Amino acid sequence: MHLSHRGIYFSVSSKAHADAHLFTPRVWISLCLSRGVTVAENTYRKLFLILQEVLHVAGVEMQLTAAVSFLTILQEESVSIHTYAHSFLQIILLHLEHRDAGVSNAWLETLLSVIEVLPKETLRHEILNPLVSKAQLSQTVQSRLVSCKILGKLTNKFDAHTIKREILPLVKSLCQDVEYEVRSCMCRQLENIAQGIGTDLTKSVVLPELIELSRDEGCSVRLAAFETLVNLLDVFDTDDRSQTILPLVKSFCEKSFKADESILISLSFHLGKLCHGLYGIFTPDQHLRFLEFYKKLCTLGLQQENGLNENQIPPQILEQEKKYISVRKNCAYNLPAMIVFVDPKNFQLELYSTFFCLCHDPEVPVRYTIAICFYEVSKLLNSGVYLIHKELITLLQDESLEVLDALIDHLPEILELMSTGGESSIQENKLPSLPDLIPALTAAEQRAAASLKWRTHEKLLQKYACLPHIISSDQIYYRFLQRMFTIMMTNKVLPVQKAASRTLCIFLRYNRKQEQRLEVIQKLIEQLGQGKSYWNRLRFLDTCEFIIELFSKSFFCKYFFLPVIELTHDPVANVRMKLCYLLPKVKSTLKIPEDKHLLQQLEMCVRKLLCQEKDKDVLAIVKRTVLELDRMEMSMDAFQNKFYEKDLLDQEKEREELLLLEMEQLEKEKQQDGRPVNEKTFEKKRRDIKTPTALPKSIPTAVPGPSSSTPSASKEIKKSKLIRSQSINNQAFHAKYGNLDKCASKTSTAAYTSSASALAKTSMISLTDDSFRTRNASSLPPSFSPNTPLPSTSRGTGNSVDPKSSGGKDPPPRKATL
């Protein structure tokens, strides 16, 4: 090891010696002290002597780097606290009063962090005792300012007796300092000191000092005293608030308009907390006075329209307008607190006009802040949320994307409150519809799409997934679905395309019309899965991944299994590569023995890939995928312990899909009979779909879609359909479990299977077509069969269905002969 006092470097080899000038103190010290390097005590002494000499003449950049490095060494525990206190602490204390303010603050921040971990005895001898001399008037202003901040940090480290005897005298002395900067700094530390000394000493020592400082001749000192009083309101009792603090606050507010605008900025920021803390002691007149004061701040600067261009306005006027903008922004931030102050029931009378002005403020920062607070305002208004419906539309149509980005963070919650009229509202007060919502949402999406801020566009598309809870499936189908297709096929940003794809899948699950669902599925397959552009085929695979996540296994196998595995013949290597990554998820949708024929097709495609693939990268991924597929355990028709939760979740998804089909069929039958549709029945079913009982948090609740089962023509099932719709929660599960029992009995006859791969290879075993029948065929009405021809892979090639809906007669049972 080689140490040099001319420069900081660590010479281990010739190359390290050549690059020594690149070493920072953190790198150098880390080489010596961390990562298991043992350094002798004598080496430590030499190390820090050199470091002190170097830092004494070092420039600003090295000083800042050293301060950060010392803090990092403490946080990473590279050395023991004892070693740190006896070595690093002395260097930190030595540079606290550096002539450069930035360097001094950097070392001070490091010291304040060190104080948290040092033992009391070290703090007393190394820091507290020297403060007695450092805080004297004979010392420099910078030294006294540093002493104020250290005292505020030390208070929490000692007991009340030590604080009263050794720290509070220094605090009082610094509060009476001749320099206003020192008085202001010490005043801001009184909050930390009050938390360390308790309520009694705070009333007897801190409160008198704050009262005196609130009358100080220095504006910054009065401002610091006001902010400290507001932050300590919870410490004082009712008598102190009403007799001492309230008069001070009233005087401060009355003089604020005559003082500097910086006081107005601080006052507007703390006004909500102030009104909340003094709420119980206001008289009606004082209550009204503070409310009018808040309203006046909300419009501050808006009356001074002079019609001049920005270049023609004097600089001092521009600076004043910027401060007024900050005041109005703070008022927007405090609006929820002021709604509580006036009571939400009085919002329309007292604060609606103010809220309207803030939403239409000419400055973007004000509207941005009110957009952030919009959800809190909606929750507070509850049943009166309909009052701010127009303002929601206004913010959605705002020309600034920053405002839109702030609003859509809680857009699903806001829209839900708007559509239901609040959590505890009366039915008559609920908002019946949102007529302007759909145009505002579509316009917002188009503005986001036309901008370069694709993250805002992505977030908005993700939030659109809440729309099935808000508007009807027909409105989504005609106003949003085609737009999702367009984004998936034309947008150039991959995260935006994926967000549109996922939202489209959620729209598909919520759609209540089988015809529309089949049309969407056909579009996905034809325009994406069989599209000319390989980019569209890649997006089709992304969409299939979302479908596997959101829909039941039977749904995916019925509509998307064959289109997916057909992409193994895709001419583009990237598509085949992405498909290989998806194949394990595809295989997880199969159930044995019902999906044996699909498993055979899957393994045949994988075998062809292994034999015919020419691209070496794709071939390597295929080989890894084959190993992963072989290790996978197949799910059986009957519930298994290892797959119990997944099977239960999948069955819940199927139940939701069946509910949608039954709702549609019930509506059609009542319309054909000429009877009015009972909306309460549909609302009950819709709630059942939207609030499934067995879905975990990772899966979006209430995402129903078309079922994969083929309907049965049984008259008994058709008669019991209306009964099930009345008690759907019980009957649907009984029908499902009845089918599962049948499947379980079939599974017991096919117990020859020991693993999924072994079953796929034993294709010569005799099985009738009964083992391929759909699990839920007995629970569906016959009219649910798709009328549109799709590349469907129905679970069972010999199901007995209506010839009109299936397009042909049932084929005879097929047997595989040995």
Side-chain angles (χ1 to χ4, degrees), residues 682-716:
F682 287 117
E683 187 60 30
K684 180 180 181 301
K685 284 178 174 289
R686 183 161 182 163
R687 285 198 301 269
D688 289 340
I689 295 171
K690 290 185 179 181
T691 57
T693 56
L695 289 182
K697 294 182 179 179
S698 61
I699 301 296
T701 61
V703 226
S707 172
S708 64
S709 304
T710 307
S712 172
S714 173
K715 295 182 179 180
E716 295 179 359

Side-chain angles (χ1 to χ4, degrees), residues 238-243 245-246 277-283 286:
T238 305
D239 293 337
D240 291 329
R241 294 182 199 175
S242 59
Q243 298 175 7
I245 298 177
L246 183 58
L278 300 177
Y279 181 75
I281 63 174
F282 279 131
T283 63
Q286 292 170 343

Side-chain angles (χ1 to χ4, degrees), residues 294-479:
Y294 171 76
K295 292 180 180 179
K296 188 175 181 180
L297 291 178
C298 288
T299 58
L300 189 64
L302 296 179
Q303 301 87 356
Q304 302 178 1
E305 297 291 340
N306 46 30
L308 299 176
N309 295 328
E310 186 174 347
N311 297 330
Q312 299 174 344
I313 301 176
Q316 61 272 18
I317 301 298
L318 278 176
E319 188 66 26
Q320 186 184 52
E321 287 185 356
K322 290 181 181 179
K323 292 181 179 180
Y324 287 161
I325 293 171
S326 299
V327 170
R328 300 201 302 274
K329 177 183 175 182
N330 291 337
C331 288
Y333 167 77
N334 281 302
L335 181 66
M338 297 308 295
I339 292 177
V340 176
F341 182 66
V342 301
D343 195 319
K345 297 179 181 178
N346 301 322
F347 171 79
Q348 186 175 10
L349 180 64
E350 300 289 352
L351 283 176
Y352 175 75
S353 58
T354 302
F355 179 71
F356 178 86
C357 291
L358 292 173
C359 289
H360 292 80
D361 195 277
E363 300 298 331
V364 172
V366 181
R367 303 197 305 274
Y368 173 83
T369 306
I370 201 65
I372 293 177
C373 300
F374 200 94
Y375 174 53
E376 294 297 328
V377 174
S378 302
K379 286 196 301 183
L380 289 171
L381 294 182
N382 201 3
S383 60
V385 70
Y386 66 92
L387 296 171
I388 59 174
H389 166 236
K390 293 182 179 179
E391 284 65 40
L392 173 64
I393 303 302
T394 299
L395 293 177
L396 280 173
Q397 296 174 341
D398 196 279
E399 59 184 7
S400 172
L401 282 180
E402 294 179 6
V403 177
L404 178 63
D405 188 80
L407 182 66
I408 61 179
D409 284 334
H410 292 285
L411 185 62
E413 295 88 349
I414 295 171
L415 292 180
E416 185 175 359
L417 288 172
M418 287 284 181
S419 62
T420 59
E423 296 177 357
S424 60
S425 61
I426 304 175
Q427 183 67 29
E428 286 75 9
N429 293 334
K430 288 187 178 181
L431 193 64
S433 63
L434 300 173
D436 303 329
L437 176 63
I438 295 177
L441 288 174
T442 53
E445 189 275 324
Q446 290 172 2
R447 275 200 323 280
S451 70
L452 297 178
K453 298 182 178 180
W454 63 265
R455 288 182 177 85
T456 300
H457 192 198
E458 178 194 14
K459 188 196 300 186
L460 183 59
L461 293 175
Q462 291 170 348
K463 301 300 181 180
Y464 274 6
C466 74
L467 290 182
H469 295 278
I470 312 301
I471 59 180
S472 67
S473 61
D474 281 338
Q475 290 173 317
I476 292 175
Y477 179 78
Y478 291 111
R479 301 300 298 269

Side-chain angles (χ1 to χ4, degrees), residues 786-787 801-808:
N787 298 322
V801 295
D802 189 358
K804 294 182 180 179
S805 61
S806 63

Side-chain angles (χ1 to χ4, degrees), residues 694-807:
L695 289 182
K697 294 182 179 179
S698 61
I699 301 296
T701 61
V703 226
S707 172
S708 64
S709 304
T710 307
S712 172
S714 173
K715 295 182 179 180
E716 295 179 359
I717 298 300
K718 189 170 183 180
K719 289 179 181 179
S720 64
K721 178 181 55 184
L722 294 178
I723 300 175
R724 283 204 318 275
S725 66
Q726 296 174 0
S727 57
I728 193 66
N729 289 329
N730 297 326
Q731 297 291 341
F733 277 112
H734 291 320
K736 184 69 65 178
Y737 286 127
N739 292 327
L740 287 173
D741 292 338
K742 295 178 182 180
C743 294
S745 64
K746 295 172 185 176
T747 306
S748 62
T749 62
Y752 59 86
T753 55
S754 61
S755 66
S757 58
L759 176 61
K761 295 175 181 178
T762 57
S763 60
M764 303 301 293
I765 295 176
S766 175
L767 281 175
T768 65
D769 221 21
D770 291 338
S771 64
F772 299 149
R773 293 188 183 275
T774 305
R775 292 190 300 270
N776 302 316
S778 63
S779 61
L780 285 176
S783 58
F784 293 160
S785 298
N787 298 322
T788 307
L790 288 173
S792 170
T793 58
S794 177
R795 293 194 171 195
T797 57
N799 292 332
S800 60
V801 295
D802 189 358
K804 294 182 180 179
S805 61
S806 63

